[in-house]
Amino acid sequence: MARKNVFSLIESDVNPQVDNEPAFANSRPLAGFEKPLKRASPVGAISQSLGGVHEKAQRVDALEKQLAQGQAIVELDTAVLDSSFVVDRLSVSSQDQALLVSQIREHGQQVPILVRPHPEREGRFQVAYGHRRLAAIRTIGGPIRAVIRDLTDEQLVVSQGQENNARTDLTFIERAFFASRLEGRNFSRDVIMSALGVDKAALSRMIALVNRLPAELIEAIGAAPGFGRTRWAELADLIEDESRRKRALDSLRATGFDSLTSDARFQAVYDRLRESRDKARSSFWSAGTGRKAVRISETGDALKLVFDKTVEPDFGAYVEGKLSALYDDFVQSKETTGTGD
């Protein structure tokens, strides 16, 4: 990144901008240059004392080193910040975000966010962690305090995951979904384990569970802070049946679903699937010998007949051959009783 783009910043605890200059004008307030560098004429530059110029140049060099090492806290215009390329949060309640806004408004931003120079967009930065703080500062207005580091993609996601682990800030499903997203971007398991602070076995279980759940379902339910691995595993078991999976996805579009809290959305889907399973019927049909020749199972969407060939080897094939005649009789009976459409 060009030096002029990196140093168009405002360091905390330094005098504010002069003459309302934009935060990313070509100036170096950190280095003590009060006016934009590009506006300085050659005559004006020569007229400065050589000692003063040398001293300020040294300050610029020292500041560059600090920024490269991530040791300086600077203030950035929120308009030049982009989110991480992989999102770790599924949702944040409006109440929690409002509380964070209130705290920062009253006490100021106590913890800086971590950013890196954007790898693809000159003059912009990409957030490693601190997305909620960024959203809060955008609500309040003004610059945000940040640490800038040159991070690889792997270093960014490790920093992103470890900061949330230290704050115990993400729910189980957010951590598991974050892990699945990272694997989908071809990050190694070692990098993902470092980001989440888990061992290989735990990571495998997390990713395996997420792979059993439709991404649409996870994203619609959200963080669900009240539910951990056990309940999400139960939900995955419930939707193994294709008909219940369809019912779960249909419930996402139910009226009022979006207005529920994340925990309530999880519970609504879970209850609907449990209800359909509890209504399932299982019984047997016995032949004249008393032996159970047909097992009958019924759910809300299907009725299954399983013929036991050890009891009557040819009975199933016989019924199959009679299906057309049976259907005709069924239609005729509906017409006779007036129950047809």
Side-chain angles (χ1 to χ4, degrees), residues 27-151:
S27 59
R28 284 176 175 164
L30 283 175
F33 290 99
E34 296 182 351
K35 296 182 180 180
L37 292 176
K38 292 182 72 175
R39 297 179 189 173
S41 68
V43 175
I46 294 173
S47 66
Q48 297 181 46
S49 69
L50 293 177
V53 171
H54 179 68
E55 179 183 353
K56 291 179 179 179
Q58 285 183 323
R59 291 174 62 186
V60 171
D61 291 338
L63 182 57
E64 274 189 330
K65 291 178 181 178
Q66 282 186 308
L67 290 173
Q69 297 171 1
Q71 295 177 348
I73 297 176
V74 300
E75 290 187 350
L76 299 177
D77 185 341
T78 60
V80 299
L81 298 179
D82 296 317
S83 298
S84 170
F85 58 86
V86 57
V87 178
D88 50 20
R89 292 185 183 277
L90 289 169
S91 61
V92 178
S93 73
S94 58
Q95 294 90 340
D96 288 345
Q97 189 62 22
L99 178 60
L100 180 60
V101 170
S102 176
Q103 290 172 340
I104 293 178
R105 197 190 303 272
E106 181 176 356
H107 303 290
Q109 181 193 346
Q110 301 299 311
V111 181
I113 67 172
L114 177 64
V115 303
R116 69 171 178 176
H118 201 292
E120 299 174 354
R121 306 179 67 185
E122 182 73 16
R124 299 188 65 82
F125 298 87
Q126 193 171 56
V127 179
Y129 60 71
H131 292 84
R132 284 187 61 203
R133 276 163 277 169
L134 174 59
I137 295 297
R138 281 174 170 163
T139 298
I140 296 169
I144 188 166
R145 302 175 73 232
V147 170
I148 303 173
R149 289 181 184 160
D150 286 320
L151 302 171

Side-chain angles (χ1 to χ4, degrees), residues 18-308:
V18 178
D19 297 330
N20 295 318
E21 287 288 338
F24 277 79
N26 290 317
S27 59
R28 284 176 175 164
L30 283 175
F33 290 99
E34 296 182 351
K35 296 182 180 180
L37 292 176
K38 292 182 72 175
R39 297 179 189 173
S41 68
V43 175
I46 294 173
S47 66
Q48 297 181 46
S49 69
L50 293 177
V53 171
H54 179 68
E55 179 183 353
K56 291 179 179 179
Q58 285 183 323
R59 291 174 62 186
V60 171
D61 291 338
L63 182 57
E64 274 189 330
K65 291 178 181 178
Q66 282 186 308
L67 290 173
Q69 297 171 1
Q71 295 177 348
I73 297 176
V74 300
E75 290 187 350
L76 299 177
D77 185 341
T78 60
V80 299
L81 298 179
D82 296 317
S83 298
S84 170
F85 58 86
V86 57
V87 178
D88 50 20
R89 292 185 183 277
L90 289 169
S91 61
V92 178
S93 73
S94 58
Q95 294 90 340
D96 288 345
Q97 189 62 22
L99 178 60
L100 180 60
V101 170
S102 176
Q103 290 172 340
I104 293 178
R105 197 190 303 272
E106 181 176 356
H107 303 290
Q109 181 193 346
Q110 301 299 311
V111 181
I113 67 172
L114 177 64
V115 303
R116 69 171 178 176
H118 201 292
E120 299 174 354
R121 306 179 67 185
E122 182 73 16
R124 299 188 65 82
F125 298 87
Q126 193 171 56
V127 179
Y129 60 71
H131 292 84
R132 284 187 61 203
R133 276 163 277 169
L134 174 59
I137 295 297
R138 281 174 170 163
T139 298
I140 296 169
I144 188 166
R145 302 175 73 232
V147 170
I148 303 173
R149 289 181 184 160
D150 286 320
L151 302 171
T152 65
D153 287 352
E154 289 79 8
Q155 290 170 331
L156 184 142
V157 298
V158 168
S159 297
Q160 185 176 353
Q162 289 183 350
E163 196 265 354
N164 282 321
N165 289 337
R167 294 162 59 86
T168 60
D169 214 13
L170 298 183
T171 66
F172 165 78
I173 196 61
E174 285 180 310
R175 286 162 51 81
F177 200 43
F178 181 47
S180 178
R181 283 171 164 170
L182 291 178
E183 185 168 71
R185 286 179 169 267
N186 298 318
F187 285 96
S188 70
R189 286 286 177 101
D190 288 339
V191 169
I192 303 173
M193 286 188 292
S194 295
L196 293 175
V198 297
D199 60 26
K200 184 179 294 185
L203 178 62
S204 295
R205 289 193 295 268
M206 293 167 74
I207 292 177
L209 176 55
V210 168
N211 290 341
R212 296 172 59 200
L213 295 160
E216 179 185 358
L217 180 67
I218 295 174
E219 291 173 333
I221 290 176
F227 300 97
R229 185 191 65 81
T230 300
R231 294 297 295 277
W232 280 99
E234 290 177 6
L235 187 62
D237 291 339
L238 287 171
I239 64 172
E240 284 184 348
D241 180 81
E242 188 61 34
S243 64
R244 285 202 293 268
R245 177 180 291 251
K246 181 179 181 301
R247 184 179 294 108
L249 294 177
D250 288 343
S251 68
L252 307 182
R253 290 172 279 277
T255 302
F257 183 84
D258 291 340
S259 64
L260 299 174
T261 65
S262 182
D263 280 344
R265 292 195 295 268
F266 179 97
Q267 194 66 54
V269 174
Y270 183 84
D271 289 344
R272 183 171 182 183
L273 298 181
R274 281 296 300 267
E275 181 182 3
S276 67
R277 189 177 71 171
D278 293 343
K279 288 182 177 179
R281 176 173 68 92
S282 181
S283 60
F284 291 91
W285 178 85
S286 299
T289 59
R291 300 181 65 187
K292 297 176 180 178
V294 182
R295 184 171 72 250
I296 305 167
S297 59
E298 182 179 15
T299 64
D301 296 330
L303 173 67
K304 299 179 182 179
L305 304 179
V306 180
F307 296 86
D308 190 341

